Amino acid sequence: MLGTGVDLIEIERVAGVLERHGERFLRRVFTPGEIAYCRGRAPNLAARFAAKEAVMKSLGTGFRGVGWRDVEVVRAPSGAPSPRLHGRALRIAISLSHSRGFAVAFAVASRPDTVDSLAATSATLWGESTAPQAALPAAS
């Protein structure tokens, strides 16, 4: 099963939050590796912020069940941005871009679709007691 997510954010919005809240904002939203890579550059921070939101949307969880720092944008050996989900075993691809005023991110998540993996994914993302009670496909 595929899940998609997209997010567009104004770079000035991120720059304003960074100016007002500084290190507190950085430590709450970004991992140490992301902070080191971005070095306070608002376009890079905005693109990573958008990536985190797009990944959360692609997982179908929004902010529930996935924290800001659970999603980390790292560089693949090719130099392409790649998401790392801490504590999650899902495959996700992302694309990031920014212009002078905006940053955008697009995420595609490949979620397992077998009965056992759907149940495990649901429990991981939603927690045992809050998982949606959707009908699972019959086992063959």
Side-chain angles (χ1 to χ4, degrees):
M1 177 169 36
L2 293 178
T4 61
V6 66
D7 191 67
L8 175 71
I9 189 165
E10 295 173 78
I11 293 171
E12 278 302 313
R13 184 172 167 210
V14 172
V17 172
L18 181 61
E19 186 176 313
R20 283 189 306 281
H21 300 287
E23 287 295 317
R24 183 171 159 233
F25 165 66
L26 292 175
R27 284 191 310 270
R28 180 171 180 242
V29 175
F30 302 99
T31 66
E34 290 170 319
I35 293 169
Y37 176 81
C38 292
R39 297 187 312 241
R41 297 174 293 197
N44 297 79
L45 291 166
R48 278 153 183 76
F49 186 91
K52 291 168 184 278
E53 287 210 2
V55 166
M56 290 176 189
K57 291 173 184 176
S58 76
L59 294 173
T61 64
F63 300 108
R64 191 172 43 183
V66 179
W68 289 110
R69 293 166 43 106
D70 290 339
V71 179
E72 179 178 19
V73 178
V74 298
R75 305 296 283 182
S78 66
S82 179
R84 178 181 297 152
L85 272 66
H86 298 282
R88 308 288 191 281
L90 302 172
R91 292 175 34 157
I92 299 179
I94 60 172
S95 178
L96 307 179
S97 183
H98 56 79
S99 65
R100 184 174 303 161
F102 294 93
V104 65
F106 185 79
V108 177
S110 173
R111 296 182 274 185
D113 57 5
T114 65
V115 173
D116 291 339
S117 60
L118 279 173
T121 299
S122 182
T124 298
L125 295 176
W126 297 96
E128 296 289 339
S129 62
T130 58
Q133 300 302 311
L136 298 175
S140 38

